[in-house]
Amino acid sequence: MLGNIIILALREIRRNVLRSFLTILGIIIGVAAVITMVTVGGSATAQIQQQIASMGSNLLMVMPGKRMGAGMEAGNVLFKEDDAVAIARDINSIAAVAPVSTRSLQAIFGNQNWTTQVTGSDNVFIGITNRAVKTGRQFTDNELRSGAAVCILGETVKTKLFGGQDAVGEKIRLQKLSCEVLGILEPKGQNTMGMDQDDVVIIPLKTLQRRVTGNQDVGVLYVSVSNNASTEKVQQELSVLMRERRHLSPSDDDNFNVMDMKEIAKMLTSTTQLLTALLSAVAAVSLLVGGIGIMNIMLVSVTERTREIGTRLAIGALEREVLLQFLIEAVVLSSLGGLLGIVLAMASSVLLTAVLNVPFIFNGSIIIISFLFSAAVGVIFGYMPAKKAARLNPIDALRYE
Amino acid sequence: MSSLSTSQPLTRAEGAIIELSGVSKVYGQGRAAMQALAGVDLRIDPGDFVAVMGPSGSGKSTCLNIIGCLDVPSSGAHYFEGVDVGKLSHNQRALLRRHYLGFIFQGFNLLNRTSALENVELPLVYRGLPAPQRHERAQQALVAVGLQGWERHTPGELSGGQQQRVAIARAIVAGPVVVLADEPTGNLDSARSREIMEILTELNRKQGITIVMITHESDIAAYANRTIHFRDGHIERTEHNGGKV
Ligand SMILES: Nc1ncnc2c1ncn2[C@@H]1O[C@H](COP(=O)(O)OP(=O)(O)OP(=O)(O)O)[C@@H](O)[C@H]1O
Ligand SMILES: [Mg+2]
């Protein structure tokens, strides 16, 4: 008997191609939207967390200016190399300090040119920003002290200027400065803000100051806190020390600020998570809309289906046989829609993560949840009208309008 | 031609296949209430062929629907082979329809977009017959109503008369004990009507199937053994046809 009922259900699906198609479509769209949003969002969050891990442990940045973002104000008092020395000397629990200044310059090699961030610093900077020299070598103390015309290239700059060619030992021009390429950095990828961390040229700070900016200023101090020390405490001590060195009275505001890179990264993570949650909510709405679409189709066809139920009952079908048929129809359509939705979601997730340049991370639970939800929607809305009709006297079902 | 008043209540007689006793049917409630049947007493023996006539709205279809267990009376008793149908459950009535009754509806009630063969097969599906037997018997039923070659056509592709014949094939395919027909020739010209009536007469004569048939035409009613005349929800008179045709 079950076999016969299954045949009846499949016949009904095949006969009503449009109705079946619309039902499936509603489920496909809902399921695919939810899975795609959650998977892509999850992948983006995971990537940010990866980037935090790669950023270097316990990195603080001391920047001139009052608050984050206000650094562009004119009249900011910049740092000197002495500040870096003082910090390293006066504050405990500090692993390393790197004074950093940057300029955006055009790098030229042969007929290739590329505008990039030229960073004046030292080997410590390379270490605490979790970089490493892949080919070639770091700066020597002598080169750092004397401000030699040497540089280390990020992967992006190397590729733009040299392509596949060997760069170490060649000379590139940075504005008027001609400098020798000592080494190439290990690629690092994008940072949490989506900036290319390999689009960089590192030269000794002295070289930048003397040959490019023409002053002794230092833009940012990178401070790496020892592993077991509290970042908050160091942050406070840094604040006290800098106020002292800048002769600020207690009533004055700080004219510098100390940023914890981890904090920023965490903020970004939570922003991404919030965004993911929002997108997922939008997706959930689309799942719901898909569900309502299914409901509509079912309700529109309820007159015809009620008559059909009346006919079946009149011919001698039992209530439960009619219901079983409708249940099978609903389950088959919903699962088919759900499965197609999952396939579509996987394809679009892989595509989207590739476009957004984030790693694809498979999320099994959202697949199961959205599949079950859509199946429930399909089954409930496919089944409920039948449930009502199958209880009627056949003649009332046949007369239904 | 003799007529007989049946207004006096019948006692339950042994051997009747269908028996209605004081059956009334009221549609709606209060001021909108509409009395479709007002105390119908009727007894039909196995193998009988009964025609039902009467003006439109006199309660013929309502009565046939009750006999066919598609509807329940508001009051009164309905027996089928001595079983009190009023005491049966929804499911038991469905089983009674499945195994004993074949219904030809006034409006056919075929499944849309479904081939003639599949429509005719449907009662056999619910009887749990395996597919090969189903096909064979449905095919035979279609041949019996002269529809060979039309098996694959859906109701939308068939004329009214052909749909009527599909409905007849569906009603007889499972070998019912009683066939109930609501204006089976209502949509047909006289030649087609005669064909249909020959099919029904043969079912009645050769297979002993009891037939209750509503019609508006007295020459169609003349195929039956007797004609029951309805008026305003009750049986006005019964007319015996005394071996005509
Ligand atoms: N579902 C219903 N709800 C309300 N009134 C109904 C319903 N079905 C039938 N009636 C009323 O009951 C009365 C009897 O209807 P019925 O269909 O039995 O008539 P009939 O004799 O078959 O007529 P016809 O020859 O036109 O088919 C009619 O007045 C009709 O309006
Ligand atoms: Mg009628």
Side-chain angles (χ1 to χ4, degrees), chain A residues 280-327:
Chain A
S280 305
V282 171
V285 169
S286 69
L287 188 56
L288 203 70
V289 170
I292 291 170
I294 295 164
M295 188 173 77
N296 264 324
I297 294 157
M298 298 298 180
L299 289 181
V300 165
S301 61
V302 88
T303 306
E304 192 197 11
R305 301 234 76 182
T306 302
R307 293 223 178 98
E308 178 198 330
I309 288 172
T311 304
R312 292 181 187 279
L313 290 174
I315 281 166
L318 299 179
E319 187 180 336
R320 65 163 184 273
E321 287 164 348
V322 170
L323 290 182
L324 187 63
Q325 179 204 322
F326 273 68
L327 191 65

Side-chain angles (χ1 to χ4, degrees), chain A residues 1 4 8 11 14-16 304 308 311-319 321 325 390-395 398-399, chain B residues 27 65 70-72 90-91 93-95 97-98 105 109 111-114 118 121-123 125-126 128-129 134 170:
Chain A
M1 196 66 215
N4 281 344
L8 289 181
R11 274 185 190 170
R14 198 195 51 206
R15 248 169 233 147
N16 300 285
E304 192 197 11
E308 178 198 330
T311 304
R312 292 181 187 279
L313 290 174
I315 281 166
L318 299 179
E319 187 180 336
E321 287 164 348
Q325 179 204 322
R391 241 186 271 137
L392 297 172
N393 276 324
I395 202 69
L398 284 170
R399 282 220 190 95
Chain B
Y27 288 111
N65 291 338
L70 300 175
D71 208 352
V72 287
H90 197 61
N91 273 341
R93 268 183 281 135
L95 290 173
R97 290 193 294 271
R98 176 186 296 183
F105 298 95
N109 285 322
L111 293 187
N112 291 331
R113 295 184 290 279
T114 304
E118 283 176 353
E121 258 183 42
L122 205 55
V125 173
Y126 290 115
L129 243 69
R134 255 181 4 228
R170 186 180 64 184

Side-chain angles (χ1 to χ4, degrees), chain B residues 57 59-62 106 182-183 214 216:
Chain B
K60 305 181 296 292
S61 293
T62 306
Q106 200 164 4
D182 199 343
E183 298 189 34
I214 298 176
H216 279 288

Side-chain angles (χ1 to χ4, degrees), chain A residues 379-393:
Chain A
V379 168
I380 288 168
F381 292 130
Y383 185 68
M384 290 326 270
K387 181 113 190 125
K388 233 176 85 190
R391 241 186 271 137
L392 297 172
N393 276 324

Side-chain angles (χ1 to χ4, degrees), chain A residues 148-273:
Chain A
V150 289
C151 61
I152 298 172
L153 306 185
E155 184 73 19
T156 306
V157 179
K158 189 254 161 188
T159 311
K160 292 288 178 193
L161 295 186
F162 294 93
Q165 259 175 277
D166 209 8
V168 176
E170 300 287 347
K171 284 207 153 131
I172 64 165
R173 264 191 320 119
L174 299 170
Q175 207 160 293
K176 278 165 269 169
L177 172 68
S178 169
C179 58
E180 186 192 336
V181 178
L182 295 181
I184 311 297
L185 294 170
E186 198 82 60
K188 239 188 132 200
Q190 290 179 359
N191 70 1
T192 38
M193 288 157 245
M195 275 157 28
D196 181 4
Q197 298 179 96
D198 302 321
D199 189 3
V200 69
V201 173
I202 303 174
I203 62 175
L205 178 62
K206 279 247 159 54
T207 315
L208 186 86
Q209 289 173 333
R210 284 186 196 153
R211 315 279 288 268
V212 180
T213 64
N215 58 40
Q216 297 294 302
D217 292 341
V218 170
V220 187
L221 300 172
Y222 279 62
V223 178
S224 169
V225 180
S226 306
N227 266 339
N228 44 7
S230 141
T231 320
E232 285 77 31
K233 193 161 157 280
V234 173
Q235 217 168 339
Q236 243 160 28
E237 286 175 10
L238 268 174
S239 198
V240 172
L241 178 68
M242 290 312 294
R243 287 184 69 88
E244 204 176 288
R245 288 181 65 81
R246 297 188 152 210
H247 311 293
L248 298 177
S249 72
S251 59
D252 290 337
D253 286 335
D254 287 352
N255 58 2
F256 62 91
N257 68 79
V258 183
M259 292 197 313
D260 184 343
M261 290 310 287
K262 275 241 158 96
E263 284 304 314
I264 295 169
K266 272 189 200 135
M267 235 167 60
L268 273 171
T269 311
S270 59
T271 309
T272 314
Q273 276 164 346

